[in-house]
Amino acid sequence: MAALVATEAAASPDPAEAAETAEAAELSRVLSRMLPGLEADSKLGRRRALEALQRTLEAARPEAPDGDPAAAAAAFQGPWARLLLPRLLRCLADPAEGCRALAVHLLDLGLRRAARPRDALPRLLPALAARLAGPEPARRPPPEVCEELRLALVQLLHLAVRLSGAALAPHLDDAVRVLRCTLLDPFAAVRRESCECAADLARATPDHFHMQSESLIGPLMQSISHQHWKVRVAVIEATGTVIQFGSGKSVDDVLPHFAQRLFDDVPQVRQAVARVVGGWLLHLRDRYSFLHRLIPLLLSSLDDEIPEIACEAAGLWEQVGLRWQMENEEDLKDKLDFAGPPPAHHPSPGSRPGLGCRELVFRNLSKILPAICHDITDWVVATRVKSAQLLAVLLLHAEGHITQHLEPVLRTLLHACADEEKAVVHSCARSAELIGTFVSPEVFLKLILSMLRKSPSPSGLLVFASVIRGCPREALRPHVKVIAMELAHAHICQGSENRLYGERLLQCVQAVVSVSREDCRGAGVPLMEVLVTVLALWGPAGLGAKVQEALAELAAVESVDGSQDLFRAHVGALLERLAASHRDWTGRSTGFLQFDVVLAHSGPALGEALPQLVPILRSCLQPARDPPMRLKLFSTLSGLLLGARETVDSQGQFHGYLDTLIKDIFVPNLQWHAGRTAAAIRTAAVSCLWALVSSGVLSDEQIQEVQEMLMPQILTTLEEDSQMTRLISCRIINVFLKTSDGVIDADKFIKIYPELLKRLDDVSNEVRLAATTSLVTWLERVGNEAGKCYYQSNIQHLYRELLVYLDDPESAIQDAVLEALKAGSVLFPDLLVREMEAVLHKHRSPTHCEQLLQHLQALPPAP
């Protein structure tokens, strides 16, 4: 009975299966009528047949009676695989481009509707390879010449990969051969589609893809620099997936290309690199072998100019650190259980990198640093900038572990801080600050000071200043004086005449003062010496204002009011140090330039330092010393003497050194010597003497003392070639005469007016007027003399000479001489009248003579 039932069941088929079979049979009959048209000789016939097939397949969608899509696909599978697929694949080689395009479209439609698309792979993949790769893809262009059709064929391959999945593994060779060719296609869209296809292929065949993955790396890397940024992004993403599911051996070949893409102008490309590298650090099977190569790429993105990229990279890096920390929890157990707070002087304690991130950097630092130290000197600016930024990020992660790598890092920074690119210098200065933060001063001072002693340079001083700036005050306190003494050492303080050197030296002082504050009070003298040196050597080059700011900061920490009080506190020590070398100074000596700065900026403090100051002046102003130095020093001394009450005589003690100033300085320098240089020095000395006698600091008695010692020399300087010298000499004589009060010896007094008369013939009207003024004073002094009769013959001679100049072509001279004659007319008016009457007829105009005569007539009669 049971056998009978079974026999009946077998004899009566299932209704669904019967319907499916009927549907497939009907489709086969329809297709059979159309397929012969594909073999037509005419292009038009084949095209019409393909279009008919397209209409049939798109319009007549077979469905099972119960509406099951799987059953419909199963009904389509048979006719598709048996009838349609082979003929459509042959149409891929049709001479007509339109026919090939329709064939590709029908193949796409068939794959999507077939129940088992993987069954088509044995025929489809070789056909695609024939159209897209050819026999030698590396040497010949693909047989398919139309780029739109090549794109459609690659899309067809991509569809087959998505639909077939792991079933594609036996056909991996053909698929890879196609992709190796299409990844280098001239059409950018083909390359992008090929990249997506390669990534999906890797995901679809993870167990077999690693055997073929390396062959795709070459074409991918050739496309990574494509001119279209979307292609570059697609290549980077595809490379990430290919290596993720393929062989890790290719990482070393890929990373140099990825590193170059970090300099890409398009943010999306740089973002793709960060994402792919971050994914590798999280998921790559062999990532531990490549940590030292991958970490720098991801950390480089932390300084990207686009905040979104930098933020995403930071998030990825944090995930990487957490995952590595979790995977190595046993090794980090002590550090996790006894984790301390961030260092007290951490630059960003709120955003300190996690333990995993710090350990990753520390354990790989020895492998990463050599490459950075090499790239930071690269000839490409962008490479140097990126390397300098990366170094700062690494040092921030390494923290105290920097110490064991300190020497090569400092050597690198010393070289990189001399870079012309400001971004490189800025990043390196930041790295140096981190060294100061995390490394003990005992360690870094030993290395940096050794480098500076061996070869001082602007870059070395910048590194030093940055390290000091980053060092905690408590750690730096015991070393402030040592640092200041080293900076003040001549080998460093006077190491170069380059302005940049002076600027970096000033930055060192500013760093010490800003960090140490009140702790640098004990180092005030050497710090002042450095500032004075910078002002002396580079003040004229534009650093004067910055030095004044530094002086103000130092004055604030020493609790004194302004730079003048600061000089007052240290001028004695500064002059004491300068006195040790003053005998060897020349006009270009650093010591002399420092001395000149001290004189110019000390103000009232100089009045307290006269015992040290005057001996240096006396030594430096001897005739045997360097002429340029003497000229400069006389000029500075003139400025001091003009404001003597606020400078050298601030304490009222200057008169005690007047004798030394006159005898040992003015007398030797006013003596006549041949040559222009000697004349220039005499001019400077005369100017300085004028500043002294006109400053108001000397009493009449003191001016008389000066007159007694210097009148002969001043009368000699009236004959100098320099107009300025002659003019100032006339003015000095005028001052001498006004303060003499009859104390001048008669014989010496008589010798004065002939020299002044000679100046009435001077080429300069200004000198002539000054000489006339002095003659007026001389005549007034004669009137005060009790024995004026002793001078009658001299007065007569003077009248006679002055009457000549009363007819001078210059009206100003005429007026001045008229006033002189009026002043002297009270001495011997009758004598003057006789002399005037003798020359009146010789004058071109009698006007001034008549005025003088009127004046004489108005004089009261002599007793």
Side-chain angles (χ1 to χ4, degrees), residues 345-650:
H345 300 282
H346 195 282
S348 53
S351 57
R352 184 190 186 194
L355 177 62
C357 296
R358 300 198 307 273
E359 285 293 319
L360 270 174
V361 170
F362 160 58
R363 299 191 181 197
N364 292 275
L365 192 59
S366 59
K367 299 177 182 178
I368 299 174
L369 271 180
I372 294 181
C373 294
H374 176 269
D375 288 348
I376 211 169
T377 61
D378 194 85
W379 68 274
V380 179
V381 173
T383 303
R384 300 200 303 273
V385 171
K386 188 68 73 173
S387 300
Q389 292 173 342
L390 178 58
L391 180 59
V393 174
L394 290 174
L395 296 183
L396 181 64
H397 283 75
E399 295 186 354
H401 299 295
I402 305 171
T403 305
Q404 56 189 293
H405 306 285
L406 188 57
E407 187 171 0
V409 170
L410 284 176
R411 192 164 51 246
T412 299
L413 292 177
L414 196 68
H415 186 88
C417 282
D419 201 288
E420 296 178 356
E421 187 65 29
K422 290 183 179 180
V424 176
V425 176
H426 176 76
S427 296
C428 289
R430 174 65 182 147
S431 297
E433 289 181 14
L434 293 173
I435 290 175
T437 302
F438 297 121
V439 179
S440 169
E442 289 85 353
V443 179
F444 69 68
L445 283 177
K446 181 179 179 181
L447 293 174
I448 296 179
L449 291 179
S450 175
M451 292 178 180
L452 289 176
R453 292 189 195 108
K454 183 178 179 181
S455 178
S457 63
S459 59
L461 290 174
L462 177 59
V463 172
F464 194 23
S466 302
V467 170
I468 295 172
R469 197 179 300 113
C471 188
R473 178 178 176 181
E474 295 75 14
L476 194 64
R477 182 179 292 123
H479 309 279
V480 172
K481 193 167 185 178
V482 174
I483 293 172
M485 294 295 292
E486 287 291 338
L487 290 175
H489 194 277
H491 183 61
I492 295 177
C493 192
Q494 306 169 24
S496 171
E497 294 183 0
N498 185 352
R499 181 187 184 277
L500 183 61
Y501 188 93
E503 190 172 343
R504 301 307 189 208
L505 186 62
L506 179 59
Q507 288 178 359
C508 290
V509 176
Q510 291 173 324
V512 172
V513 174
S514 63
V515 172
S516 300
R517 305 303 298 169
E518 289 76 10
D519 298 337
C520 63
R521 288 179 177 175
V525 174
L527 291 176
M528 277 292 295
E529 189 173 352
V530 177
L531 291 175
V532 166
T533 303
V534 174
L535 199 56
L537 296 178
W538 301 285
L543 293 184
K546 293 183 179 179
V547 175
Q548 293 300 328
E549 293 176 5
L551 286 170
E553 292 176 8
L554 185 57
V557 301
E558 293 198 10
S559 301
V560 296
D561 187 16
S563 60
Q564 284 200 347
D565 287 344
L566 187 64
F567 272 97
R568 175 174 289 166
H570 301 296
V571 68
L574 290 173
L575 289 175
E576 183 179 350
R577 294 192 179 197
L578 292 171
S581 62
H582 75 275
R583 299 185 184 280
D584 300 322
W585 288 351
T586 66
R588 295 181 62 84
S589 298
T590 303
F592 168 68
L593 297 176
Q594 292 172 322
F595 179 64
D596 189 66
V597 167
V598 171
L599 293 181
H601 292 81
S602 295
L606 292 176
E608 304 172 8
L610 289 176
Q612 298 162 292
L613 175 61
V614 174
I616 299 177
L617 289 173
R618 179 177 55 197
S619 173
C620 293
L621 289 173
Q622 292 305 302
R625 299 299 296 273
D626 183 56
M629 178 184 70
R630 291 157 61 201
L631 283 171
K632 175 64 176 172
L633 199 51
F634 268 125
S635 176
T636 303
L637 186 57
S638 297
L640 296 177
L641 293 175
L642 281 173
R645 296 190 188 281
E646 290 77 33
T647 55
V648 291
D649 198 40
S650 61

Side-chain angles (χ1 to χ4, degrees), residues 10-268:
S12 59
D14 181 69
E17 292 182 1
E20 177 182 327
T21 303
E23 190 71 28
E26 179 61 25
L27 180 61
S28 296
R29 285 193 296 272
V30 173
L31 293 177
S32 297
R33 289 195 300 269
M34 298 180 181
L35 289 178
L38 299 178
E39 307 295 335
D41 294 333
S42 69
K43 175 176 69 173
L44 183 60
R46 297 193 301 274
R47 184 182 180 90
R48 287 175 176 172
L50 288 168
E51 290 173 347
L53 283 173
Q54 179 181 356
R55 289 191 297 271
T56 300
L57 294 180
E58 290 178 350
R61 298 181 179 274
E63 295 183 0
D66 58 358
D68 184 7
F76 179 75
Q77 177 66 36
W80 153 257
R82 185 178 66 258
L83 300 175
L84 196 56
L85 178 63
R87 289 169 174 80
L88 289 176
L89 290 177
R90 284 199 298 271
C91 288
L92 292 179
D94 194 286
E97 182 178 312
C99 295
R100 298 199 303 275
L102 286 170
V104 172
H105 177 68
L106 292 172
L107 286 169
D108 180 275
L109 187 61
L111 283 177
R112 293 178 186 276
R113 294 180 56 181
R116 297 183 302 278
R118 60 182 177 276
D119 293 350
L121 295 179
R123 296 179 178 178
L124 178 63
L125 266 295
L128 292 177
R131 294 305 302 166
L132 291 174
E136 298 180 21
R139 296 184 182 180
R140 295 181 184 176
E144 181 53 66
V145 295
C146 177
E147 57 186 20
E148 287 82 4
L149 279 179
R150 293 200 301 274
L151 175 60
L153 290 170
V154 174
Q155 290 172 339
L156 185 63
L157 173 62
H158 195 181
L159 176 64
V161 170
R162 290 199 304 270
L163 296 177
S164 303
L168 199 67
H171 312 283
L172 199 58
D173 287 349
D174 286 333
V176 169
R177 187 157 68 92
V178 170
L179 291 174
R180 287 181 60 197
C181 181
T182 56
L183 283 170
L184 300 175
D185 196 276
F187 188 26
V190 174
R191 294 199 189 200
R192 285 165 51 194
E193 187 69 27
S194 300
C195 289
E196 296 173 8
C197 181
D200 284 345
L201 181 63
R203 297 187 190 96
T205 57
D207 297 331
H208 303 84
F209 185 75
H210 65 278
M211 294 183 291
Q212 295 283 350
S213 63
E214 291 184 45
S215 61
L216 291 178
I217 297 301
L220 284 169
M221 292 304 100
Q222 291 181 58
S223 296
I224 201 170
S225 58
H226 193 272
Q227 61 182 350
H228 291 184
W229 69 267
K230 291 184 178 180
V231 174
R232 300 198 295 274
V233 170
V235 168
I236 291 169
E237 293 173 346
T239 303
T241 307
V242 166
I243 290 182
Q244 180 71 46
F245 293 94
S247 172
K249 297 178 182 179
S250 303
V251 173
D252 287 333
D253 300 327
V254 168
L255 290 183
H257 298 277
F258 272 34
Q260 287 300 314
R261 290 306 100 207
L262 289 175
F263 304 103
D264 202 290
D265 294 332
V266 180
Q268 289 88 338

